[in-house]
Every structure is written in structure tokens, then in C-alpha cells.
């Protein structure tokens, strides 16, 4: 034992062979289970090679790298920017390219004499547009139109006045710019800016929720490891109990042969041996079940053999006052920070819904500069001079009569905002309760751990004192049986107390959102490590 850590060991119930004239058997403690550790990478492997055991930090790092639930949470972390990227993507530039060809054959009617019977129009255009978060839309369009008509060129028009209207094939160039601004409902991007704020906070919420799930999955893996240790301790206890029962059975059989014990006493220990062996079989089955469940959660082959040794914390940590610990929880706890951001989003959504009760008013203007030539791209020469222009302006207002949809959205946003107020207040109280209960649980489980140590020590003294007396007929088999049961229960109880105490420690750090920092990691380190693992 060193520092504030205790090595997980097993203690045999089997005693050494009796030596004549010895009245007590000492040194029951003896067999430790320091077995080879699972192979992992990075800093954890160095720790194992140096100490030969797994610390809580080692288990956390291993769980981060291997747990299926942790890997799923890492994927959620990678996708945490989804809401922001989706909303911000609305403000990207949009490029368009259009090619259009049209050929018209008109009826042989007088009104088409000057327009032409056969008209060909080919248009190629390119554009660039962008929506700004100020509610402004701007677009730039460049196009070229090749126009050809047979007006004045048909044989029956030769030598007539219509021949004067004949024209060659021409290219018409156009450079246009359109500006559109939304007013009232989304005056200068009122709603869009809030939508961007909501998406930014929603991405932060996704990140916090993923970190919350990740930390909880890590704690679950820790508990699975410790439960396997508990099952292993139960198995060792069952094995050693069988050995001890066999030892007492042999002593009883010897006493029966010497005539100092009744034959039925030997039958009693035969029955106890069968019971102990059945308990051993059940302990093996339970350990295999726990081992398989652990391996499946780590994404490993469930039939993999697992041997390990653990270091469990054994001393009471330095804890602050409840008020200070609660304030720390408010600063770091993932679910509380997530709800605080969601509350802000609910307020912003209410503002958007309230503004949505207003009409939509749009003001737009278009400027086009045109030129022409018989050839392309000469048709664009001089287009910047603005000799031939086409300008337009428009004012448009939209307002649904009755506007039931907008009012329904407003009422829904009000409801959601009030619900978030209630949920945030409830979570505040839950954080306070979790911190208070966590502190109490740490102190209580520590007291139980200390008492469990004393209990095991007393049970071992009782057993080591009763066994030699039974050899000489100064104790009954019932006394020996009770002593065996006490030691077995005390050993298992001590291991259970260690697991419960360490579980209380990590659950408390989880309730404050400081799990990774407590064990030598910060959130950014975890995120960077997880991102790197996926590349």
C-alpha cells in the first residue's frame, strides 16, 4: 500500500498445515492477484509497465480509446458544428451558369412580316449572388444573346419595303446588378442575426451534450471494470472457501477416525463442501458474464481472456465547502451549461416569433447595361459606358390576412421559453442536490470502507483462533463454519466497499463536470485526442 492508493489483493482462507503444540495460525494474508495487464497504447502503457497495475486514470484513457459508446460520442463531437455550418451556409456565394436556345417558326401572317417568320435566339449567362446577414440580397449577372431573324431576307420580300428591315445576326451583351433589402419583419437582418446566434449556441449545445455523454460512458466503463474486479474477488473467495472447507473436512474426518468426533459431523462438512463447490461454479459463471459484457462494451471479442490488477483510491480527498463545490459545478457541469444556452436560444426564438407578426416589406432595384455587336465577345466592348441601360425599382409587401401562423409560432415560442425557465431552475436545484448527496456519499462510503477493513481483521482473528481449538475439541464445527462465513463475507464486503468508495469519487466528479480535469486531462485534450483518433 502506498500513498492514497490500495492494491486489489486476494487473501486465502486456507491455513498452513498444523504443527504440533502450535495454538494459533498467523499470517492469513498472502496471495495477491498481480496479473498481467491488458495491452494499451500511449501514456497508459507506460504507467502499466512502471507500476504493473491499472489506475483510474489508466482506465479512463483506455475507455476513451476503446469504449463503443465513447467512440459514438466522439462522432457526435465531430458533428457538433452541424447547426452553425448549416445556418451559415445560407450566406455563401451562389454561382449560376445557364445556356438557353430557342427557335421560333411563326405562322405566315402579316403581323410577322417585320418580326420574321424564323427567329433564332441563343443565350448564355453567368451569375453570382449572395444573401447577407443584414437581410440584403445582391446579385450580378452577365449574359450574351445571339439573335437572328429572317425578316426582310425572305425571297418574297426582296425589292419591297420589308427588305429595309433586314438585319444581320447580332450578339446582345448585358451586365446587370440587382439589390434587394427586406424591411419591417427582418429589418436589416434582425431575424437572420438571431438565427445565426441560435445556430452557434446550438452547436455549442451539441458539443456539451456529446461531452456529457462521453464522460458518462467513461464512468460506466470504470464501473464495469470494477464490477469485473468484484466478480473476480468473489471467484477467488469461492475457490479459497472450497479449499478451507476441504481442510476442515479433513480435520473432521481425522477426528472421526480417532473417535473424538461423531460421524454425522463429517457428513455435515461433505454437504458444506458441495455447497461451496456450487457457489464456486456460480461465481465462475457470473465472472464470465461480467467479463463478456465489459468486452462487448469495449468493442472486443467477448471470448478474450482478461487478466488485470487495479489500484483503488483508499484515502479521503480534500473537499471544499458545499457552496464552493456547487459554484464549481455550475461552471463546469455539461448539462447545466447546455440548458443555459438552450434558455438563451428560447429567448432569441421568442424575439424572432414576435417580430414575425410584422408584415414583410421588400425594396429592390435593378440596373442593366447593354451593348451589341455582330461578333462575340466584341459585343461587350464599351458595356461599361452605360450607353444603353434598363433600370427598375420595386416595393413589395406581404402580410397574410389574419396571420394565424405567425401568432401560433409566437404562442409556441412563449411556451417553450417558459418551459426552459422551469427546466433551468429545476436543474439548478438538481445540481445543488447532486453536490450535497455526492459529498455525503463520499464520506459515508469512506466510513464503510474503514469499518470493512476492521471487520475483515476481526473476522480473520476469529477464524485463526477457532481453527486450532477445533482440532483439539475445544470448539464445534458450527463455530468453524460461522468463522469461515464471517471471513468470506468480510473479504467480499471489503472489496465491495472499495468499489463503492471509488464509484462515489468518480460519480461526484461527474456531477460537477470535472471528471477529466480531476484525473489529469482537460476537455480540450480529450477533444483533440478524439479527433486525432478518427483521422
Amino acid at each position: 500500500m502506498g500513498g492514497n492508493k490500495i492494491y486489489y489483493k486476494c487473501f486465502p482462507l486456507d491455513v498452513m498445515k498444523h504443527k504440533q503444540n502450535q495454538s494459533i495460525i498467523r499470517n492469513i494474508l498472502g496471495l495477491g492477484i498481480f496479473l498481467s495487464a491488458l495491452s494499451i497504447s500511449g501514456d497508459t502503457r507506460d504507467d502499466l509497465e512502471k507500476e504493473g497495475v491499472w489506475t483510474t486514470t489508466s482506465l479512463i484513457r483506455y475507455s476513451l480509446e476503446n469504449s463503443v459508446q465513447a467512440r459514438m460520442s466522439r462522432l457526435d463531437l465531430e458533428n457538433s458544428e452541424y447547426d452553425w455550418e448549416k445556418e451559415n451556409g445560407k450566406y455563401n456565394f451562389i454561382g449560376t451558369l445557364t445556356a438557353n436556345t430557342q427557335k421560333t417558326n411563326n405562322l405566315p401572317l402579316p403581323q410577322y412580316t417585320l418580326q420574321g417568320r424564323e427567329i433564332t435566339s441563343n443565350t448564355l449567362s453567368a451569375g453570382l449572388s449572395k444573401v447577407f446577414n443584414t437581410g440584403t440580397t445582391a446579385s450580378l449577372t452577365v449574359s450574351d444573346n445571339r439573335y437572328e431573324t429572317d425578316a426582310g431576307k425572305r425571297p418574297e420580300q426582296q425589292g419591297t419595303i420589308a427588305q429595309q428591315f433586314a438585319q444581320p445576326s447580332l450578339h446582345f451583351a448585358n451586365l446587370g446588378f440587382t439589390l434587394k433589402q427586406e424591411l419591417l419583419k427582418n429589418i436589416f437582418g434582425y431575424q437572420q442575426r438571431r438565427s445565426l446566434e441560435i445556430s452557434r449556441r446550438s452547436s455549442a449545445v451539441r458539443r456539451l451534450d456529446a461531452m456529457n455523454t462521453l464522460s458518462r460512458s467513461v464512468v460506466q466503463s470504470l464501473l464495469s471494470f470494477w464490477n469485473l474486479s468484484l466478480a473476480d474477488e468473489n471467484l477467488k473467495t469461492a475457490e479459497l472457501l472450497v479449499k478451507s472447507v476441504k481442510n476442515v473436512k479433513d480435520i473432521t474426518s481425522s477426528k472421526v477416525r480417532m473417535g473424538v468426533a461423531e460421524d454425522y459431523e463429517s457428513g455435515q462438512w461433505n454437504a458444506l463442501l458441495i455447497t461451496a463447490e456450487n457457489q464456486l461454479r456460480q461465481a465462475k459463471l457470473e465472472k464470465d458474464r461480467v467479463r463478456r459484457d465489459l468486452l462487448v462494451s469495449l468493442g472486443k471479442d467477448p471470448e478474450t481472456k482478461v487478466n488485470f490488477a487495479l489500484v483503488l483510491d483508499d484515502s479521503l480527498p480534500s473537499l471544499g465547502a458545499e457552496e464552493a463545490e456547487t459554484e464549481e459545478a455550475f461552471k463546469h457541469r455539461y448539462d447545466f451549461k447546455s440548458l443555459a444556452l438552450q434558455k438563451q436560444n428560447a429567448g432569441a426564438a421568442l424575439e424572432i416569433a414576435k417580430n414575425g407578426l410584422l408584415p414583410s416589406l421588400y425594396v429592390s432595384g435593378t440596373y442593366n447595361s447593354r451593348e451589341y455587336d455582330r461578333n462575340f465577345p466584341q459585343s461587350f466592348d464599351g458595356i461599361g459606358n452605360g450607353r444603353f441601360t434598363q433600370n427598375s425599382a420595386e416595393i413589395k409587401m406581404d402580410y397574410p390576412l389574419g396571420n394565424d401562423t405567425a401568432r401560433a409560432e409566437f404562442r409556441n415560442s412563449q411556451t417553450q421559453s417558459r418551459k426552459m425557465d422551469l427546466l433551468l431552475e429545476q436543474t439548478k436545484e438538481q445540481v445543488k442536490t447532486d453536490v450535497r448527496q455526492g459529498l455525503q456519499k463520499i464520506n459515508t462510503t469512506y466510513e464503510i470502507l474503514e469499518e470493512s477493513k476492521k471487520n475483515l481483521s476481526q473476522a480473520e482473528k476469529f477464524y485463526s483462533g477457532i481453527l486450532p481449538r477445533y482440532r483439539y475439541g475445544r470448539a464445534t464445527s458450527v463455530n468453524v463454519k460461522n468463522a469461515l462465513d464471517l471471513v468470506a463475507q468480510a473479504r467480499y464486503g471489503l472489496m465491495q466497499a472499495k468499489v463503492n468508495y471509488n464509484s462515489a469519487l468518480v460519480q461526484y466528479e461527474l456531477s460537477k463536470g470535472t471528471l477529466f480535469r480531476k484525473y489529469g486531462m482537460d476537455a480540450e485534450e480529450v477533444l483533440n485526442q478524439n479527433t486525432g483518433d478518427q483521422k
Side-chain angles (χ1 to χ4, degrees):
M1 185 183 301
N4 64 338
K5 298 177 179 179
I6 182 166
Y7 293 94
Y8 162 40
K9 296 182 178 181
C10 283
F11 307 104
L13 300 180
D14 195 16
V15 295
M16 297 184 300
K17 290 183 178 180
H18 173 67
K19 293 184 179 180
Q20 199 169 17
N21 299 326
Q22 284 186 336
S23 63
I24 190 168
I25 299 177
R26 297 181 176 87
N27 301 324
I28 295 180
L29 308 180
L31 180 62
I33 55 165
F34 291 101
L35 303 175
S36 59
L38 295 174
S39 176
I40 62 175
S41 59
D43 296 337
T44 307
R45 177 182 295 170
D46 295 338
D47 292 340
L48 292 174
E49 290 177 352
K50 180 175 62 178
E51 299 184 30
V53 292
W54 285 46
T55 64
T56 301
T57 302
S58 302
L59 292 176
I60 289 176
R61 290 187 179 276
Y62 186 81
S63 299
L64 283 172
E65 295 170 4
N66 294 278
S67 168
V68 175
Q69 185 60 53
R71 294 206 298 267
M72 292 173 63
S73 299
R74 278 151 46 179
L75 293 175
D76 289 335
L77 283 169
E78 287 189 351
N79 196 40
S80 62
E81 295 297 318
Y82 168 78
D83 295 292
W84 161 249
E85 291 172 348
K86 181 180 178 181
E87 183 66 26
N88 195 49
K90 298 178 181 179
Y91 305 104
N92 292 336
F93 280 97
I94 300 176
T96 58
L97 182 64
T98 305
N100 177 269
T101 181
Q102 181 178 355
K103 187 172 183 178
T104 305
N105 291 318
N106 288 320
L107 300 173
L109 298 175
Q111 61 262 38
Y112 297 120
T113 300
L114 300 181
Q115 182 180 349
R117 293 271 302 280
E118 294 183 1
I119 302 173
T120 301
S121 178
N122 299 324
T123 304
L124 182 66
S125 65
L128 192 65
S129 63
K130 178 176 173 60
V131 177
F132 296 88
N133 59 14
T134 58
T136 306
T137 302
S139 61
L140 178 68
T141 304
V142 179
S143 65
D144 177 78
N145 172 248
R146 178 185 173 276
Y147 185 84
E148 184 176 6
T149 177
D150 65 350
K153 299 177 183 179
R154 300 180 64 80
E156 66 271 17
Q157 293 176 329
Q158 299 301 313
T160 66
I161 296 177
Q163 186 177 3
Q164 303 300 316
F165 293 93
Q167 65 180 36
S169 173
L170 293 176
H171 286 264
F172 294 90
N174 183 78
L175 177 63
F177 180 74
T178 300
L179 194 64
K180 182 179 180 180
Q181 179 66 54
E182 186 175 359
L183 303 174
L184 290 182
K185 179 184 289 189
N186 189 29
I187 182 169
F188 296 106
Y190 179 90
Q191 290 180 316
Q192 288 167 300
R193 288 194 299 274
R194 276 150 186 79
S195 294
L196 280 172
E197 293 171 0
I198 289 174
S199 65
R200 187 179 292 109
R201 284 192 288 263
S202 294
S203 293
V205 166
R206 280 175 172 263
R207 190 180 182 91
L208 289 169
D209 290 347
M211 283 298 296
N212 188 40
T213 303
L214 180 64
S215 58
R216 291 183 182 278
S217 69
V218 166
V219 169
Q220 189 60 47
S221 292
L222 288 175
L223 297 179
S224 297
F225 273 103
W226 292 336
N227 284 337
L228 181 57
S229 298
L230 200 57
D232 187 68
E233 171 69 12
N234 191 36
L235 176 61
K236 294 294 182 181
T237 299
E239 290 174 345
L240 297 173
L241 187 60
V242 168
K243 293 181 181 179
S244 295
V245 170
K246 285 182 178 179
N247 183 50
V248 178
K249 175 180 173 294
D250 292 340
I251 296 174
T252 304
S253 298
S254 177
K255 292 174 66 177
V256 170
R257 287 193 299 270
M258 291 185 296
V260 294
E262 299 296 334
D263 187 61
Y264 68 83
E265 293 185 57
S266 179
Q268 177 193 22
W269 286 102
N270 286 331
L272 290 174
L273 179 60
I274 293 173
T275 301
E277 288 174 340
N278 287 337
Q279 292 174 347
L280 175 60
R281 295 185 185 97
Q282 187 63 37
K284 289 179 179 178
L285 183 63
E286 178 63 14
K287 180 183 177 182
D288 283 341
R289 184 193 67 79
V290 176
R291 175 181 58 81
R292 290 190 182 97
D293 289 345
L294 172 62
L295 290 170
V296 168
S297 71
L298 295 174
K300 306 295 184 182
D301 183 354
E303 298 308 318
T304 302
K305 298 300 180 183
V306 179
N307 296 310
F308 60 89
L310 294 179
V311 166
L312 296 174
D313 289 334
D314 189 39
S315 61
L316 192 65
S318 176
L319 300 172
E322 182 179 324
E323 294 76 11
E325 296 287 284
T326 303
E327 286 302 318
E328 186 177 25
F330 284 142
K331 292 179 182 178
H332 300 290
R333 183 158 158 165
Y334 300 119
D335 58 345
F336 180 76
K337 292 166 66 177
S338 174
L339 281 175
L341 291 176
Q342 292 179 57
K343 172 64 178 70
Q344 294 181 46
N345 276 356
L350 180 59
E351 292 180 9
I352 292 175
K354 183 178 181 180
N355 210 49
L357 296 172
L358 298 173
S360 296
L361 179 63
Y362 302 91
V363 178
S364 63
T366 301
Y367 171 83
N368 289 288
S369 178
R370 301 182 295 176
E371 274 291 346
Y372 69 95
D373 195 275
R374 295 189 64 180
N375 299 301
F376 174 84
Q378 288 80 2
S379 56
F380 283 92
D381 293 344
I383 196 171
N385 296 330
R387 290 193 304 159
F388 307 103
T389 61
Q390 182 182 29
N391 305 312
S392 65
E394 181 184 37
I395 299 178
K396 179 182 178 182
M397 178 179 286
D398 291 332
Y399 187 71
L401 297 178
N403 211 9
D404 292 337
T405 300
R407 283 197 289 270
E409 288 290 344
F410 179 68
R411 287 195 300 271
N412 181 65
S413 296
Q414 281 184 318
T415 301
Q416 295 302 319
S417 180
R418 291 167 183 165
K419 287 170 66 176
M420 288 305 305
D421 287 337
L422 294 173
L423 187 57
L424 189 60
E425 284 302 316
Q426 181 190 36
T427 306
K428 282 184 179 179
E429 296 304 317
Q430 187 64 55
V431 170
K432 294 177 183 178
T433 300
D434 289 347
V435 170
R436 183 178 299 112
Q437 290 180 343
L439 290 171
Q440 292 175 352
K441 188 174 182 180
I442 288 175
N443 289 321
T444 300
T445 53
Y446 179 73
E447 291 175 1
I448 293 174
L449 175 59
E450 292 300 306
E451 291 301 316
S452 296
K453 293 177 186 177
K454 297 176 183 178
N455 185 39
L456 177 59
S457 176
Q458 294 300 320
E460 289 170 345
K461 288 180 181 179
F462 178 55
Y463 178 71
S464 60
I466 204 71
L467 185 61
R469 286 171 174 76
Y470 177 64
R471 289 179 183 274
Y472 300 113
R474 287 177 288 177
T476 67
S477 60
V478 174
N479 299 137
V480 178
K481 174 63 172 58
N482 290 340
L484 274 174
D485 289 342
L486 283 175
V487 175
Q489 292 170 7
R491 284 187 50 210
Y492 185 78
L494 177 58
M495 188 59 192
Q496 181 72 70
K498 294 175 189 176
V499 170
N500 289 343
Y501 177 63
N502 281 263
S503 174
L505 292 176
V506 297
Q507 291 281 3
Y508 180 64
E509 297 301 330
L510 178 65
S511 71
K512 294 196 303 175
T514 55
L515 176 68
F516 297 121
R517 188 180 65 178
K518 170 68 176 180
Y519 293 99
M521 294 169 278
D522 57 33
E524 288 304 317
E525 177 190 353
V526 173
L527 294 178
N528 292 336
Q529 172 188 341
N530 291 336
T531 301
D533 290 343
Q534 297 297 315
K535 295 181 179 178

